[in-house]
């Protein structure tokens, strides 16, 4: 295909406009990209191969990758990266709740109503202050501070409505960065941080309770695990119903079954020391020093019922309506993934109850955790901070936009049919928002894979003992800390591979899911 | 009677909803409250149960600027300087490229655009390491140029602008062409003014992004008085982090520009997120 003179002219102009951008694109994206591939297969080292000192670079083929996978710490960093993603469903759920609340008709309200509310609330506030003054409870500045804070927001919010709350929700996300991480590090400060200052009296009060329920802790643990199991069975039932009705295909039901089984398998790992024996990690027993073979049994029973039901239905009963094989895969990823995380959290809670008696029996009773300087608490600390920032994030705004796009007729029809709010949500709002949710989840997972650098650098330096080192932080320490650029490049390509898989998943299933 | 009941029912809902929202909002704002109050305390008061300072130490804010080894004013200026340059260059180059991708026709256009799109899913970390090597090669380590240049071109910005420009009616181009406008005039006088919402969005995003950027300055900058705020704050924390009151004053001040931008630009920002998010 020869180019005519006109084509050349168009090309010339087109490239002309593109020129500044494409030069930068070549210099800072394409060339580095090629270099990076090359570097990943060499022993390029900042100390030895740079502008001032260039020893020969040797090509090591896959040595970097071999080294990476044989690094004993690598599974931990890999696991950390995924552990930090536990926060995603909670953050998204928080955003959704915030958006739903903000979207309710009566926040917008008509002016007369809003004015009445404002006046009444103000009156209540004044009365509260008066009461405090009379009873003498207002002596401490803290009470006044809290009351006036709550009161101020309440009055402001009932006047300004949606905008005020949205702005306040959005603040943490908007300001997130080194500054807020430093702030949180101070909040988490073990000796005199405000969080622990507030927790100490609370935990002191709880210590007798903990001692009191100590004998029952095991039972509570069992109870929690039973809840986990029942929740799992509910999920199986839901999946089977969707599958039977042709709402979800075979791939998605298998995916969902595997996802929802994971917490039960993890319960063995976390609660039952039997597996630690097998794994040869006897030293980890000190944390959970009890023998809990019954956990294994309990979880096996639940798994047996769930999988038995599933396999029986899958192979012998069959479905009522057929559908394409990968239909509903987005739904199963979101719902089952979130349910899995929730179940994992319940198993974690069970572990807490498991060690509660020992903690309460200690001399000083229950003590607040050391947060970022504690091996086990550092990650939850970062997760809590992440949750704080995630509620009012862009996701909330995306959900608000999504909610405004839901046709009102659907709700009207539902009202005529006498649907409860719960039914309205699950049968109208949630399906209508599914494409927004899918988009948010995919973006969050992609961000999560690459994330954790800023937090780790500012708050924990990747520690204690590597418990907050994510892949991104590992790349930083390897590449710029110790100067092993070749090795760091190899890790970054592994990271790319994971992002690539998620993106492909999005491409393949994202659009189809949206169109359903 | 029924009418009245409905009014009071709605009323109760309104109150309870406001209370719930307020509690959520207060929980989210509490850390900031503590930050401000802690920044007004004397150092000894920090660990106290009460959040309130005995006497407000407003001079803490001044002390941050005069503290030895902390070039706070300088860092502030550096950050604003670098962020402004990055924002200007990125918005300019992105809008030019987006114009070419959306309003001009040339052979291979869509293929090149696809290449742009494909690089958007590359983790930034992949490019950081070779980029650092190149910076050493060109002697740009520890220079503002080195900070600004790599961030001045963005595939995401191009994508965002292109999506917006695609929606501007094509008939405008034809009209302009009939009037004898050159392509540059078409870009500068017709398309760019109409793409204002996208421009504003990209400006805000880029500014905030580069204001908060930690990784690249951390890798690149070596001399303390050339630091940007994020790495400056980091070195403040590691060198004099025990002085929580000063640190909190610094944190408060470094958050201020973003709050100002947010409050001023809220409407555009909300629109922009829909623009970049839903379609991306």
């Amino acid at each position: 295909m020869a180019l005519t003179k006109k084509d050349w002219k168009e090309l010339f102009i087109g490239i002309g406009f593109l020129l500044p951008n494409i030069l930068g694109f070549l210099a800072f994206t394409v060339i580095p990209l090629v270099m990076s591939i090359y570097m990943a297969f060499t022993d390029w080292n900042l100390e030895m191969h740079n502008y001032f000192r260039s020893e020969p670079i040797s090509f090591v083929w896959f040595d970097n990758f071999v080294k990476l996978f044989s690094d004993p710490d690598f599974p931990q960093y890999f696991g950390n990266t995924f552990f930090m993603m536990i926060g995603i469903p909670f953050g998204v759920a928080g955003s959704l709740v915030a958006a739903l609340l903000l979207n309710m008709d009566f926040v917008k309200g008509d002016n007369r109503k809003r004015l009445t509310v404002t006046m009444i609330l103000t009156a209540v506030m004044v009365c509260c202050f008066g009461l405090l003054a009379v009873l003498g409870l207002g002596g401490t500045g803290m009470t006044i501070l809290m009351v006036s804070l709550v009161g101020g927001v309440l009055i402001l919010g009932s006047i300004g409505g949606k905008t005020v709350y949205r702005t306040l929700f959005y603040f943490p996300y908007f300001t997130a960065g080194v500054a807020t991480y430093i702030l949180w590090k101070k909040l988490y400060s073990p000796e005199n941080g405000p969080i622990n200052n507030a927790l100490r009296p609370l935990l002191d009060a709880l210590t007798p309770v903990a001692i009191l329920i100590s004998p029952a802790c095991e039972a509570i643990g069992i109870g929690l695990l039973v809840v986990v199991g029942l929740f799992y069975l509910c999920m199986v039932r839901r999946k089977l119903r969707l599958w039977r009705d042709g709402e979800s295909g075979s791939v998605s039901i298998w995916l969902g079954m595997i996802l929802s089984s994971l917490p039960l398998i993890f319960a063995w790992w976390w609660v039952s020391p039997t597996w630690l024996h097998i794994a040869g990690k006897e030293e980890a027993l000190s944390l959970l020093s009890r023998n809990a073979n019954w956990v294994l049994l309990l979880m096996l029973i639940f798994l047996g019922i769930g999988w038995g039901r599933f396999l029986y239905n899958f192979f012998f009963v069959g479905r009522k309506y057929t559908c394409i094989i990968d239909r509903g895969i987005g739904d199963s990823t979101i719902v089952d993934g979130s349910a899995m995380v929730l179940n994992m959290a319940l198993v974690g809670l069970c572990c807490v109850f498991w060690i509660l008696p020992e903690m309460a029996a200690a001399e000083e009773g229950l003590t607040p955790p050391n947060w970022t300087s504690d091996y086990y608490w550092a990650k939850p600390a970062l997760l809590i901070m992440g949750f704080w920032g995630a509620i009012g994030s862009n996701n909330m705004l995306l959900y608000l936009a999504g909610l405004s796009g839901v046709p009102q007729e659907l709700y009207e029809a539902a009202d005529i049919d006498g649907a409860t709010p719960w039914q309205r949500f699950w049968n109208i709002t949630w399906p209508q928002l599914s494409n927004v949710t899918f988009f948010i989840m995919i973006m969050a997972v992609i961000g999560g894979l690459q994330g954790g650098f800023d937090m780790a650098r500012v708050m924990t330096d990747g520690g204690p003992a590597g418990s907050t080192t994510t892949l991104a932080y590992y790349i930083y320490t390897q590449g710029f800390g110790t100067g092993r650029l070749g090795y760091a490049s190899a890790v970054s390509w592994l990271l790319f591979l994971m992002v690539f898989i998620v993106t492909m998943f999005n491409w393949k299933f994202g659009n189809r899911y949206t169109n359903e | 009677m029924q009418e009245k009941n409905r009014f009071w029912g709605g009323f109760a809902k309104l109150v309870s909803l406001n209370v719930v929202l307020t509690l959520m909002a207060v929980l989210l704002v509490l850390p900031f409250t503590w930050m401000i109050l802690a920044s007004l305390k004397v150092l000894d008061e920090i660990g106290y149960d009460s959040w309130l300072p005995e006497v407000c130490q407003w001079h803490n804010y001044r002390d941050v600027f005069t503290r030895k080894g902390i070039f706070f004013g300088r860092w502030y200026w550096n950050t604003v300087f670098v962020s402004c340059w990055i924002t200007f260059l990125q918005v300019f180059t992105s809008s030019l490229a987006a114009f070419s991708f959306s309003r001009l026709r040339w052979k291979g256009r869509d293929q090149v655009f696809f290449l742009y799109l494909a690089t958007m899913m590359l983790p930034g970390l992949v490019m950081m390491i070779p980029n650092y090597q190149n910076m050493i090669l060109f002697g740009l380590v520890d220079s503002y140029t080195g900070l600004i240049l790599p961030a001045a071109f963005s595939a995401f910005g191009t994508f965002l602008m292109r999506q917006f420009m695609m929606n501007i009616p094509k008939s405008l181009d034809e009209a302009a062409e009939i009037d004898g406008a050159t392509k540059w005039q078409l870009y500068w006088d017709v398309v760019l003014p109409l793409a204002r919402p996208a421009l504003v969005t990209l400006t805000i995003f880029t500014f905030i992004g580069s204001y908060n950027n930690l990784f690249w300055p951390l890798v690149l900058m070596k001399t303390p008085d050339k630091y940007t705020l994020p790495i400056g704050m980091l070195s403040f924390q590691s060198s004099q982090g025990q002085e929580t009151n000063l640190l909190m004053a610094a944190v408060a001040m470094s958050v201020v520009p973003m709050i100002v931008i947010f409050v001023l630009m809220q409407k555009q920002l909300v629109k922009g997120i829909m623009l970049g998010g839903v379609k991306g």
Side-chain angles (χ1 to χ4, degrees):
Chain A
M1 45 171 231
L3 294 169
T4 62
K5 205 178 161 197
K6 187 164 165 278
D7 285 342
W8 277 111
K9 198 185 159 207
E10 280 177 342
L11 193 66
F12 184 72
I13 295 176
I15 296 289
F17 274 99
L18 200 57
L19 201 63
N21 201 313
I22 208 154
L23 283 181
F25 183 67
L26 286 175
F28 298 110
T29 305
V30 178
I31 294 175
L33 196 65
V34 177
M35 276 176 77
S36 180
I37 298 174
Y38 171 70
M39 284 166 99
F41 294 101
T42 64
D43 65 346
W44 200 313
N45 192 311
L46 195 58
E47 308 283 306
M48 291 189 296
H49 315 107
N50 59 36
Y51 190 46
F52 306 104
R53 184 175 163 206
S54 52
E55 289 177 22
I57 295 167
S58 54
F59 211 66
V60 295
W61 292 107
F62 286 96
D63 268 18
N64 282 328
F65 293 96
V66 172
K67 205 168 93 191
L68 174 62
F69 286 109
S70 55
D71 182 345
D73 288 331
F74 180 68
Q76 190 196 359
Y77 303 151
F78 198 73
N80 286 341
T81 311
F82 282 92
F83 192 97
M84 294 305 283
M85 284 202 270
I86 283 183
I88 293 174
F90 292 99
V92 174
S95 303
L96 180 58
V97 169
L100 284 173
L101 288 176
L102 286 178
N103 197 51
M104 287 193 174
D105 286 334
F106 29 92
V107 187
K108 301 167 202 158
D110 58 281
N111 281 334
R112 190 173 58 108
K113 221 184 252 178
R114 193 185 285 159
L115 212 67
T116 331
V117 172
T118 311
M119 272 159 60
I120 291 186
L121 287 179
T122 318
V124 171
M125 293 304 306
V126 171
C127 287
C128 282
F129 265 113
L131 212 66
L132 276 176
V134 171
L135 295 177
L137 295 174
T140 58
M142 273 305 280
T143 324
I144 296 182
L145 175 74
M146 288 301 154
V147 171
S148 49
L149 196 63
V150 172
V153 173
L154 196 59
I155 290 168
L156 218 67
S158 51
I159 297 171
K162 197 173 165 179
T163 325
V164 172
Y165 293 122
R166 196 183 59 193
T167 310
L168 290 176
F169 286 173
Y170 203 51
F171 263 169
Y173 178 77
F174 201 72
T175 51
V178 175
T180 38
Y181 298 150
I182 291 177
L183 166 61
W184 271 88
K185 194 176 176 188
K186 290 293 174 191
L187 292 178
Y188 276 138
S189 166
E191 284 84 34
N192 55 15
I195 291 181
N196 275 4
N197 276 351
L199 276 181
R200 228 168 264 131
L202 200 70
L203 288 177
D204 280 343
L206 278 179
T207 306
V209 181
I211 291 172
L212 195 71
I213 62 163
S214 279
C217 272
E218 201 162 333
I220 296 174
I222 296 176
L224 277 172
L225 287 178
V226 169
V227 171
V228 169
L230 290 178
F231 190 56
Y232 162 76
L233 289 183
C234 285
M235 290 312 293
V236 171
R237 218 184 87 197
R238 179 180 176 277
K239 290 223 68 61
L240 276 173
R241 199 188 64 224
L242 287 178
W243 181 76
R244 198 190 58 214
D245 295 346
E247 292 280 323
S248 69
S250 301
V251 174
S252 40
I253 193 174
W254 277 98
L255 183 78
M257 282 303 295
I258 292 166
L259 278 181
S260 25
S261 304
L262 281 180
L264 283 80
I265 295 165
F266 266 81
W268 302 349
W269 274 103
W270 289 353
V271 183
S272 158
T274 316
W275 279 86
L276 295 174
H277 280 294
I278 296 169
K281 288 189 177 168
E282 307 269 342
E283 74 276 15
L285 279 174
S286 57
L287 183 67
L288 300 169
S289 52
R290 259 170 260 204
N291 191 5
N293 284 322
W294 53 265
V295 173
L296 240 164
L297 194 70
L298 193 69
M299 294 294 107
L300 264 181
I301 291 171
F302 278 117
L303 279 177
I305 298 174
W307 276 91
R309 234 188 121 182
F310 165 66
L311 293 173
Y312 175 71
N313 275 283
F314 192 84
F315 288 112
F316 295 107
V317 180
R319 56 170 80 194
K320 265 193 199 145
Y321 306 94
T322 51
C323 75
I324 43 172
I325 192 158
D326 55 8
R327 185 171 172 164
I329 208 158
D331 179 77
S332 64
T333 329
I334 297 165
V335 178
D336 298 327
S338 305
M340 173 185 81
V341 168
L342 199 69
N343 249 347
M344 290 266 193
L346 280 178
V347 173
L349 197 65
C350 173
C351 291
V352 170
F353 272 106
W354 207 231
I355 53 176
L356 192 66
E358 282 145 56
M359 277 167 28
E363 205 168 313
E364 61 274 33
L366 292 175
T367 44
N370 285 335
W371 299 111
T372 52
S373 45
D374 183 287
Y375 182 83
Y376 291 102
W377 277 100
K379 272 184 292 230
L382 296 188
L383 283 177
I384 292 171
M385 184 183 78
F387 182 68
W388 170 78
I391 291 178
S393 61
N394 287 349
N395 299 343
M396 181 184 76
L397 298 182
L398 287 174
Y399 268 132
L400 276 173
L403 282 171
S404 65
V406 179
Q408 286 301 310
E409 300 92 81
L410 295 176
Y411 290 119
E412 283 158 19
D415 280 343
I416 292 169
D417 291 347
T420 60
W422 182 255
Q423 286 171 326
R424 274 165 55 122
F425 175 75
W426 280 110
N427 295 319
I428 301 174
T429 316
W430 179 250
Q432 287 283 323
L433 287 178
S434 60
N435 53 348
V436 181
T437 311
F438 193 73
F439 172 79
I440 287 174
M441 283 286 185
I442 292 287
M443 286 299 133
V445 170
I446 291 177
L449 284 171
Q450 305 173 44
F453 170 75
D454 287 19
M455 287 183 203
R457 182 69 187 78
V458 178
M459 294 176 71
T460 59
D461 273 322
S467 72
T468 53
T469 304
T470 58
L471 286 179
Y473 190 73
Y474 187 55
I475 292 172
Y476 169 79
T477 50
Q478 289 303 312
F480 300 104
T482 54
R484 284 187 279 178
L485 294 180
Y487 182 61
S489 297
V491 185
S492 73
W493 277 97
L494 182 81
L495 190 67
F496 164 74
L497 190 71
M498 292 195 293
V499 173
F500 182 75
I501 291 169
V502 178
T503 314
M504 283 300 115
F505 182 81
N506 181 25
W507 268 23
K508 182 133 191 347
F509 301 111
N511 288 334
R512 177 171 302 154
Y513 189 66
T514 311
N515 292 339
E516 264 172 32
Chain B
M1 189 65 201
Q2 183 133 30
E3 187 61 28
K4 204 175 175 190
N5 266 347
R6 189 178 286 170
F7 178 79
W8 285 110
F11 189 75
K13 263 186 183 170
L14 187 52
V15 172
S16 52
L17 192 71
N18 267 309
V19 169
V20 170
L21 282 169
T22 300
L23 288 180
M24 271 174 83
V26 166
L27 270 180
L28 292 180
V29 176
L30 270 186
F32 291 115
T33 318
W34 184 80
M35 167 184 84
I36 302 284
L37 292 172
S39 74
L40 295 173
K41 284 178 168 180
V42 250
L43 187 56
D44 293 340
E45 283 180 314
I46 292 288
Y48 291 2
D49 276 344
S50 169
W51 288 15
L52 291 167
E54 292 266 301
V55 183
C56 285
Q57 310 286 327
W58 293 104
H59 62 85
N60 279 348
Y61 284 83
R62 203 178 55 231
D63 290 354
V64 173
F65 287 94
T66 52
R67 186 46 66 108
K68 217 171 164 228
I70 308 296
F71 310 98
F72 198 75
R74 187 70 206 274
W75 295 339
Y76 225 123
W77 164 247
N78 289 345
T79 315
V80 173
F81 173 79
V82 168
S83 302
C84 282
W85 265 110
I86 289 177
T87 311
F88 168 71
L89 287 175
Q90 196 185 113
V91 171
F92 186 63
T93 57
S94 298
S95 65
L96 273 177
F99 177 75
S100 180
F101 281 133
S102 64
R103 318 295 290 191
L104 300 178
R105 252 167 228 293
W106 41 279
K107 282 240 158 65
R109 181 188 78 169
D110 294 335
Q111 285 81 343
V112 176
F113 183 66
F114 182 77
L115 199 71
Y116 264 67
L117 272 190
T119 57
M120 265 172 65
M121 70 177 172
L122 283 167
L125 280 166
V126 173
M127 265 84 77
M128 292 292 182
I129 298 162
N131 261 337
Y132 184 62
Q133 282 293 301
N134 291 340
M135 290 297 143
I136 297 177
L137 189 66
F138 295 119
L140 291 177
V141 174
D142 205 19
S143 73
Y144 297 129
T145 324
L147 269 189
I148 294 167
L149 268 187
F153 314 95
S154 135
F156 171 74
T158 311
F159 173 74
L160 187 86
M161 295 293 296
R162 176 189 177 267
Q163 293 306 92
F164 194 85
M165 286 187 184
M166 291 292 265
N167 290 332
I168 299 172
K170 281 275 191 303
S171 51
L172 286 172
D173 295 20
E174 289 152 20
E177 229 148 74
I178 291 167
D179 289 348
T182 60
K183 292 290 180 202
W184 175 260
Q185 283 171 326
L186 180 65
Y187 162 74
W188 190 254
D189 293 330
V190 180
V191 175
L192 216 51
L194 286 172
R196 226 182 91 105
L199 283 176
V200 173
T201 307
L202 188 60
T203 307
I204 302 173
F205 278 151
T206 316
F207 188 85
I208 294 163
S210 46
Y211 189 91
N212 274 332
N213 192 7
L214 173 67
F215 196 104
W216 189 238
L218 185 66
V219 169
L220 205 67
M221 304 313 269
K222 311 285 180 206
T223 343
D225 65 346
K226 283 185 178 176
Y227 281 178
T228 58
L229 260 183
I231 38 173
M233 297 290 296
L234 201 60
S235 79
F236 190 176
Q237 187 198 232
S238 54
S239 65
Q240 299 172 32
Q242 294 312 309
E243 302 195 55
T244 307
N245 50 351
L246 291 191
L247 197 60
M248 285 302 118
V251 166
M253 281 189 284
S254 74
V255 166
V256 163
M258 280 187 285
I259 292 182
V260 170
I261 292 178
F262 178 62
V263 172
L264 289 181
M265 300 282 190
Q266 211 196 117
K267 266 216 178 92
Q268 283 93 329
L269 199 84
V270 172
K271 265 188 218 150
I273 287 158
M274 318 287 172
L275 194 77
V278 178
K279 287 181 180 162

